[in-house]
Amino acid sequence: MGSTLDLIGWIVVGYAALVTVAAGTGVALRTPRPSWLDQLVLMLTLLGAVLAVAALASLAGEGRPESLATFLGYAVTVVALPPAALASVREDRGTWSCGVVAVAALATGVVALRLMMTR
C-alpha cells in the first residue's frame, strides 16, 4: 500500500479529473458556467490544501526531495491554481469560463501528480 501522501494525491488527481470533465462538458454543450461548478473548484482547492499540508509534513519524515524548491513550488501551486482561475473569470459566466476552469482543474491534477513524483 502507498504512503498517505500518495493516497491523498490520487484523491486530488481523481477529483481534478471529475472537475475537468464537468467543466469540459459545459464547454461542449455551450452553456453558461453553473454556480455548482464554482463549488467544485472550491472543493478542489480544499483537497489541494490537504495534499500540500501532507506533502510538507512528509518533509519531517524521510529524506529531503532532490529539488526542494520544485517540491515547494508544486505544493503552493496545487493550492493556488484553482482559486486563481476562478478569480480570473469571476465576472464572466459564459461558456469559455468553463474552459478556463477545465484547464485549471487539469493542470491541478498534473501538479498533484508531479508533487507525488518529486517526493
Side-chain angles (χ1 to χ4, degrees):
M1 183 169 214
S3 70
T4 304
L5 180 63
D6 289 340
L7 293 174
I8 296 169
W10 284 112
I11 290 169
V12 172
V13 169
Y15 193 80
L18 172 77
V19 176
T20 301
V21 169
T25 302
V27 173
L29 296 177
R30 295 190 171 111
T31 60
R33 189 177 84 237
S35 60
W36 55 262
L37 188 58
D38 297 352
Q39 295 169 356
L40 291 180
V41 172
L42 294 176
M43 185 63 183
L44 181 59
T45 303
L46 178 64
L47 289 172
V50 170
L51 177 61
V53 168
L56 295 175
S58 74
L59 290 176
E62 308 147 11
R64 291 216 184 270
E66 188 174 312
S67 174
L68 184 60
T70 302
F71 181 77
L72 294 175
Y74 287 146
V76 169
T77 303
V78 79
V79 177
L81 186 60
L86 202 56
S88 72
V89 293
R90 180 184 338 244
E91 300 299 322
D92 180 17
R93 302 227 45 102
T95 299
W96 293 111
S97 67
C98 288
V100 170
V101 170
V103 170
L106 179 64
T108 302
V110 170
V111 170
L113 279 174
R114 293 296 303 151
L115 182 63
M116 291 187 296
M117 288 180 193
T118 57
R119 184 65 190 120

